[in-house]
Amino acid sequence: MRNGLRFGLLGPPVLYGADGEVRSVGSGKTRALLVALLLEPGRVVSVDALKDALWGGAPPASAQASLHNHVTRLRRLLDDPERLRAVAPGYVLRVGEGELDVRVFEHHTAAARAAHAERDWGRALGESTAALALWRGAPLSGLPPETGGHVFGQRLEETRLLVLEWRYEAELHLAPTPDRLDRLAPELAALTTGHPLREAFHRLLMLVLHRTGRQAEALAVHRDLRARLVEELGVEPGSAVREAHLEILRDHGAGTVPGTAEDRPPAVLAPPQPAQLPPPPAHFTGREDTREAVRLTLDPERRTAGGDGAVPGGRPAVASDGMPAVAVISGMAGVGKSALALHVAHGLRERFPDGQLYVNLHGATPGMTPLTPGQALAALLRDVGAEPRHLPEHPDAAAALLRSALAPTRTLMVLDDAANAAQVRPLLPAGAGCAVIVTSRSPLTALDGAHRFPLAPLSDEDSAALLRAVSGRRDGLSGAHPLVELTGRLPLALRVVAARLAARRALTPDALAGQLTATEGRLHHLEYDDLSVRRSLAVAHDALRASEREADRDAARALCRIGALDLPAYGAPLLARLCGIDERRADAALDRLVDVALLEETAYGRYAPHDLVRDFAREIAGATDRAGAPDAGESCTPGPDAVADRALRWYAAVAARSLEAIAEPGLEREDRSRPTGSQPAGHAEDVAGTPKFPSSEEAFAWGDLELENVVALVGRHAPTSRYVPLLVRLINPYVQRSGRVVELEVLQRAALGAARRLGDAAAEAYALGDLAGMHFMTGRAGEALALNDRALAIWRRLGVLSWVRRGLNNRGMLLEGLGRHTESSEALLQSLELSRRLGDPYTEAVTYSHLGNLYEHTDPRAAIEHHKRSLAIGDTIQDVILRHSAHCNIGYAHLALGEPAAALPHFEESLRILGGHGDWHGESQTRLGLVRALRGVGDRERAAEECDLLLCRADRRADRYTGGLARHQRGLLLRDRGQAEAAYEQWELALAALAETDSPVVGQLAELLAGR
């Protein structure tokens, strides 16, 4: 039977060989790894989850390497090492059909259940016996608690007891021999001793004793069971035990009742079937897909053993794994979790004829303390008929009694507003015919076997529909109405707004939207009667702040910092700096904020609050700032300016490291790193304490993540912070090479204003020069020249020769673009002389490149020689940007000579050299030349593909200048194909983008459009 098995969890974790021999698994950590993977067979288990399983909540610093070693050891133990593969973000263990004993056990259990329901006693006996034969002991035994799977093992134990019941009942129906009956009695007696409140085993023992002629002992078993149930639980035995008791009494002697009064069948009134669901929500709107998915998960007629909806005999089928279905509906405060749960529950009432139980666990109810599991168990046991004075005192006994009471029933349970998985676990029934809906702000990922349904705010149209339904206003409330956006599409906020509209008919939706927009905070407008968005959000924050757990207190502090800073998104490194904690604690704090739905993880490691949570965070940050020092244990004192300065300080330090990774070694990198007059004194120490980027690619990736935050911070705090000129100067190479021209202008104008406010001439010159570079990138050479000359004048006054050289070089380049060739030559030759004096080969090569561009107008062959001199220097110092630029410029010189075939390989080589190095200006100019060369050699199809790629990348960066140049080329390609009208459309778009630039293409476009 075991030849197909490879993995065993029904007992201590083991591996099976091909011949069925059992092989133990090495160390405890390797066993824990195997179990963690087998609890999710065939699915990827993340590295973080595996670390939790091996080390609990405190993995050592060497956890990553240690985990890798344990994976290697486990692979050696497997029959096929390829079963265990690394798949981002973790590992997956391939488990085939019939290879895991738990799955085989569940298959036999489902077959036994179906046979039992059909009263096919022979098949029920065979399947039950086969299932029980797999059992080697308590599931997952011998593992430390941090491995997890406690609920998994508990449910398997409960299923095993059910299978034992079915096996013994099948044996009794199959008329066992007297010898077998004699052997059954001690087996069942042992089970009743081990499970003194499990009525099924007592009933079976009574019947076995009765059929072996031991009626007095059978009646004694009943008497003892009844006394125990009445004394400990306040309930009478169930109907099955009472029927067995009556059978024994009838057969004992024509209705003569032997023994004492306790042996008489009790007159018991069964408690009414519970129907406790609160009324369904009025005006339930939207969520059709989620609603149907939850219903499919819970509906017993659709959770089939065979997939056809019902088993023979007309009875509804039940889940094939023998466990109740559990649906966890999660999401932030006010998102409509309870409304969805009740809406679905009312739709399923007929599927659960034994009743519907409802408990509000008050996990996040304003003004309420969450119920303990013991309190919830007492309420549920009373609801199913237990007398309050006889309820078990120990929670485990109460949980066991509840499972026993609900196991044979079809009951739907709604556990509303759960605080955590520990509050829910003891309340779950054991019967496969039951189903549970849990609502919680947390997804309760520690709750094994649950199906999860996270809720987001409603769509625009569903939000408008809810507003119309609740308010009774039919006109003007579409998905585009401002109220939809102002309420954050949150059902609770929408209902508050709708209630206000319904209460005041003179209040128009537009007027209410104006009130919400005009105030600093929306939350005081989002309260009505007992509905309050603020109170719902405050529950989670207050609980975190009052908690004794470090992660909870850190989370409360982090939310306060988020409110003070108010950035688009956050990561652990920034929050660690703001809160004064390490990144491990910051990660844990962010996880807790996600758990209680005060933050959303928008991408891996990036977090953002909902708009209304953002308002709430601002409120608590402002309240703490106004109140001064917080309560003991709190750390939310710094005001917005102090928090912003911490953030800017951190960004400046990391930007310095990005400069080292992105900018080539040389004078420019050294000059940008040199302090100016207004630079804060602690910056160098901050940089020394900041890790370096391993590569330029990682520095660019950091910039891509954080640029939006930097722009927001700089724009908001340029008038007050000394870090703004420093940060903008250091991050400029990343922004410029990424082609983020819109952000570049915002940052440099802010830095220029801050430098002037601080009286820092060098910082002003940096900002002027970098702003000139932005104007050059966007085709405004005249404005760029004016800014560059102002920067050049400052550098001359300060006597900084390296930046004088750079200013002269840029002046020559800009004058060349404006057609002022004589002046351009003078500036470039002066720049070349200074480069040689300074001994800087990089800047010398750049000047040769610009001289080549100048000579291209009169002697393209001489231009090529200058570009080759630049290329030779680039090859010598192995500089990517110099080599890529030189090939690009040689390509343009060949185009000027009318030699597209000679130009083409240089453009291709330029792109090859550039590779993944960020330089948007260089890349865009190279791709533009490549399009022209391809068109020149007649490869119009590839030219069109390259043109489309260039246009797509330009639009992604909001680079209208490059987009206009690309559309000019696209129009030429369309004209070549004979699509004149489409070409004119492209040229009109190009002219609109380039009209305010100094590009010579503007004149060409005017001529092309004149011929229309």
Side-chain angles (χ1 to χ4, degrees):
M1 179 178 61
R2 287 183 172 168
N3 286 352
L5 289 176
R6 292 295 177 267
F7 307 99
L9 295 180
L10 297 176
V14 295
L15 297 171
Y16 290 102
D19 55 357
E21 83 277 8
V22 176
R23 294 184 297 174
S24 62
V25 183
S27 68
K29 287 287 188 285
T30 306
R31 285 197 301 274
L33 174 63
L34 174 64
V35 169
L37 292 164
L38 287 176
L39 289 176
E40 298 285 345
R43 290 193 288 269
V44 177
V45 184
S46 71
V47 167
D48 287 342
L50 293 174
K51 288 179 182 176
D52 285 344
L54 269 64
W55 292 284
S62 61
Q64 190 73 30
S66 182
L67 174 61
H68 181 74
N69 292 335
H70 289 302
V71 168
T72 302
R73 292 191 192 101
L74 181 56
R75 282 196 176 115
R76 293 195 194 106
L77 294 172
L78 298 174
D79 59 338
D80 177 7
E82 291 301 312
R83 282 183 180 273
L84 179 52
R85 293 185 299 113
V87 178
Y91 292 89
V92 62
L93 180 62
R94 173 171 50 82
V95 179
E97 187 70 29
E99 292 185 336
L100 176 60
D101 61 0
V102 172
R103 285 182 168 177
V104 178
F105 174 76
E106 289 170 346
H107 171 76
H108 287 305
T109 297
R113 178 182 292 105
H116 182 269
E118 298 168 27
R119 306 180 72 78
D120 183 346
W121 302 116
R123 188 158 63 95
L125 178 59
E127 296 291 352
S128 300
T129 303
L132 295 168
L134 295 163
W135 209 265
R136 295 176 289 103
L140 312 183
S141 58
L143 288 174
E146 59 265 22
T147 305
H150 169 72
V151 174
F152 173 81
Q154 194 176 45
R155 291 186 177 180
L156 283 174
E157 289 275 13
E158 186 65 34
T159 303
R160 172 178 166 271
L161 296 177
L162 284 172
V163 174
L164 279 168
E165 293 174 14
W166 299 335
R167 191 189 80 179
Y168 285 122
E169 186 164 4
E171 287 202 64
L172 284 177
H173 279 90
L174 291 172
T177 64
D179 287 345
R180 178 56 184 154
L181 279 174
D182 288 339
R183 287 197 301 273
L184 285 178
E187 293 175 17
L188 285 165
L191 286 169
T192 59
T193 301
H195 304 279
L197 298 176
R198 199 170 187 98
E199 294 185 27
F201 290 147
H202 288 79
R203 169 183 166 272
L204 290 165
L205 178 58
M206 289 164 56
L207 292 173
V208 167
L209 293 171
H210 169 53
R211 294 180 190 182
T212 54
R214 299 156 66 181
Q215 283 85 352
E217 291 177 63
L219 292 172
V221 170
H222 175 267
R223 182 180 63 246
D224 293 344
L225 171 65
R226 179 176 179 272
R228 191 178 301 114
L229 290 173
V230 170
E231 180 179 344
E232 295 187 21
L233 306 180
V235 296
E236 295 285 352
S239 58
V241 173
R242 295 200 300 271
E243 288 172 8
H245 186 217
L246 285 172
E247 178 185 332
I248 297 167
L249 292 173
R250 281 194 301 268
D251 292 347
H252 186 71
T256 304
V257 181
T260 65
E262 283 79 2
D263 288 323
R264 296 189 181 94
V268 177
L269 292 176
Q273 292 176 348
Q276 299 177 340
L277 297 178
H283 312 299
F284 185 86
T285 305
R287 307 205 189 278
E288 288 82 2
D289 292 344
T290 306
R291 197 184 341 169
E292 184 60 19
V294 176
R295 181 182 174 85
L296 284 171
T297 298
L298 301 173
D299 190 340
E301 294 195 3
R302 304 194 189 191
R303 299 184 290 122
T304 67
D308 59 357
V311 295
R315 295 187 58 186
V318 293
S320 60
D321 63 358
M323 306 298 175
V326 179
V328 175
I329 301 172
S330 63
M332 66 175 292
V335 80
K337 305 178 291 293
S338 298
L340 175 61
L342 291 174
H343 183 81
V344 171
H346 277 277
L348 290 172
R349 281 182 303 175
E350 293 183 0
R351 306 292 196 193
F352 296 93
D354 295 317
Q356 304 87 43
L357 295 165
Y358 174 88
V359 181
N360 190 332
L361 298 172
H362 296 301
T365 305
M368 297 287 290
T369 301
L371 292 187
T372 66
Q375 290 171 323
L377 282 167
L380 287 168
L381 286 169
R382 287 194 298 269
D383 294 338
V384 296
E387 282 193 24
R389 61 193 180 89
H390 292 302
L391 293 180
E393 293 184 6
H394 197 283
D396 288 347
L401 176 61
L402 182 65
R403 289 195 297 271
S404 298
L406 295 180
T409 71
R410 293 196 182 281
T411 302
L412 176 63
M413 183 186 293
V414 177
L415 302 175
D416 203 4
D417 192 16
N420 49 49
Q423 189 186 29
V424 171
R425 280 195 199 99
L427 313 182
L428 297 179
C434 296
V436 185
I437 307 177
V438 186
T439 71
S440 177
R441 296 190 185 183
S442 166
L444 304 184
T445 52
L447 201 62
D448 296 340
H451 302 263
R452 291 177 178 83
F453 301 92
L455 298 188
L458 296 174
S459 68
D460 287 350
E461 291 307 317
D462 287 340
S463 297
L466 184 58
L467 279 174
R468 290 193 297 269
V470 178
S471 70
R473 309 286 183 94
R474 300 298 174 189
D475 298 329
L477 282 174
S478 68
H481 195 278
L483 282 177
V484 170
E485 182 74 23
L486 289 166
T487 55
R489 302 171 190 81
L490 201 66
L492 175 58
L494 289 162
R495 287 182 179 274
V496 171
V497 166
R500 295 186 65 193
L501 290 173
R504 296 179 58 192
R505 305 306 295 179
L507 179 63
T508 66
D510 291 346
L512 183 52
Q515 292 177 12
L516 288 169
T517 305
T519 54
E520 184 176 337
R522 288 170 282 181
L523 295 182
H524 72 276
H525 285 292
L526 298 178
E527 294 185 352
Y528 188 83
D529 199 355
D530 63 338
L531 302 177
S532 170
V533 174
R534 178 191 284 112
R535 285 201 303 272
S536 294
L537 294 171
V539 171
H541 171 256
D542 292 349
L544 292 172
R545 189 176 56 183
S547 172
E548 295 182 359
R549 293 178 56 194
E550 178 183 74
D552 288 355
R553 296 195 304 274
D554 287 345
R557 183 183 302 116
L559 186 66
C560 192
R561 298 291 191 271
I562 286 169
L565 202 55
D566 197 16
L567 293 180
Y570 299 85
L574 173 60
L575 260 298
R577 185 61 179 261
L578 296 179
C579 297
I581 56 180
D582 58 38
E583 288 189 30
R584 178 194 63 79
R585 284 177 59 182
D587 267 323
L590 287 164
D591 284 345
R592 287 296 294 132
L593 289 172
V594 171
D595 281 344
V596 298
L598 289 173
L599 281 186
E600 178 185 357
E601 190 170 15
T602 55
Y604 180 71
R606 300 297 288 177
Y607 303 84
H610 182 275
D611 285 350
L612 296 180
V613 176
R614 194 180 290 278
D615 279 3
F616 175 73
R618 287 193 204 104
E619 281 193 3
I620 60 173
T624 307
D625 187 31
R626 290 190 298 272
D631 296 337
E634 289 299 310
S635 183
C636 199
T637 308
D641 288 341
V643 174
D645 235 38
R646 286 188 190 180
L648 287 163
R649 183 175 177 177
W650 178 77
Y651 276 118
V654 185
R657 292 304 194 189
S658 78
L659 173 69
E660 294 172 4
I662 291 171
E664 295 73 20
L667 285 177
E668 181 182 356
R669 191 167 89 180
E670 293 171 11
D671 284 345
R672 282 190 182 272
S673 301
R674 194 170 291 122
T676 65
S678 65
Q679 181 168 308
H683 173 68
E685 186 179 344
D686 292 339
V687 175
T690 302
K692 293 183 178 182
F693 286 103
S695 65
S696 62
E697 289 81 5
E698 292 198 30
F700 273 103
W702 174 82
D704 292 343
L705 279 178
E706 300 292 350
L707 182 59
E708 188 179 14
N709 283 355
V710 170
V711 171
L713 270 175
V714 166
R716 204 178 297 147
H717 297 281
T720 57
S721 177
R722 300 173 67 86
Y723 280 97
V724 166
L726 169 65
L727 169 57
V728 174
R729 180 176 86 239
L730 296 173
I731 205 171
N732 183 77
Y734 155 75
V735 185
Q736 183 262 325
R737 293 193 185 186
S738 298
R740 306 289 288 270
V741 290
V742 174
E743 293 91 341
L744 194 60
E745 182 166 11
V746 171
L747 291 172
Q748 294 302 340
R749 291 199 182 283
L752 180 59
R756 288 172 173 167
R757 175 181 59 82
L758 293 166
D760 188 339
E764 180 181 356
Y766 277 117
L768 286 167
D770 290 338
L771 197 56
M774 184 278 301
H775 281 78
F776 167 69
M777 289 177 64
T778 54
R780 294 175 284 175
E783 295 174 64
L785 180 62
L787 290 163
N788 182 77
D789 284 352
R790 287 158 62 187
L792 180 57
I794 295 173
W795 290 125
R796 278 177 168 151
R797 188 173 75 245
L798 295 174
V800 183
L801 288 183
S802 57
W803 279 95
V804 171
R805 184 221 60 80
R806 180 180 174 85
L808 287 167
N809 181 75
N810 290 340
R811 175 176 169 77
M813 175 187 66
L814 293 166
L815 287 166
E816 179 265 323
L818 291 168
R820 296 160 60 178
H821 296 161
T822 301
E823 294 172 85
S824 173
S825 179
E826 291 174 0
L828 289 172
L829 290 173
Q830 291 177 44
S831 174
L832 186 62
E833 181 186 350
L834 281 174
S835 294
R836 289 168 176 166
R837 274 172 54 189
L838 292 166
D840 185 5
Y842 177 83
T843 57
E844 182 180 349
V846 171
T847 305
Y848 277 129
S849 177
H850 290 158
L851 282 166
N853 292 338
L854 175 63
Y855 294 152
E856 191 179 299
H857 296 283
T858 55
D859 187 353
R861 298 288 178 198
I864 290 173
E865 292 307 311
H866 277 81
H867 293 317
K868 286 183 177 178
R869 294 177 77 175
S870 178
L871 178 60
I873 295 174
D875 287 339
T876 300
I877 65 176
Q878 287 295 297
D879 187 275
V880 169
I881 299 299
L882 287 177
R883 293 162 60 214
H884 127 76
S885 299
H887 277 290
C888 174
N889 289 329
I890 292 170
Y892 272 103
H894 280 296
L895 288 178
L897 288 166
E899 299 171 351
L904 184 59
H906 286 286
F907 289 126
E908 292 174 332
E909 179 66 6
S910 175
L911 289 174
R912 186 196 67 77
I913 291 170
L914 185 61
H917 287 76
D919 182 12
W920 168 242
H921 178 69
E923 179 191 347
S924 63
Q925 292 304 302
T926 305
R927 290 194 182 279
L928 199 63
L930 179 61
V931 171
R932 290 176 57 188
L934 288 167
R935 181 169 165 265
V937 299
D939 192 349
R940 293 185 177 84
E941 183 176 350
R942 187 179 164 207
E945 291 175 358
E946 290 291 342
C947 189
D948 289 345
L949 177 61
L950 175 60
L951 185 57
C952 176
R953 293 186 176 183
D955 288 346
R956 195 165 63 211
R957 291 170 170 81
D959 184 351
R960 285 172 52 80
Y961 177 65
T962 302
L965 297 177
R967 284 188 166 86
H968 170 227
Q969 292 299 318
R970 181 188 268 179
L972 295 174
L973 289 164
L974 289 168
R975 184 186 65 180
D976 292 345
R977 294 182 194 164
Q979 297 174 257
E981 194 58 37
Y984 284 126
E985 290 178 6
Q986 290 299 311
W987 291 333
E988 286 176 346
L989 292 170
L991 185 59
L994 299 175
E996 297 181 4
T997 72
D998 302 310
S999 172
V1001 174
V1002 173
Q1004 298 172 31
L1005 287 167
E1007 291 179 12
L1008 289 166
L1009 289 168
R1012 187 170 189 173

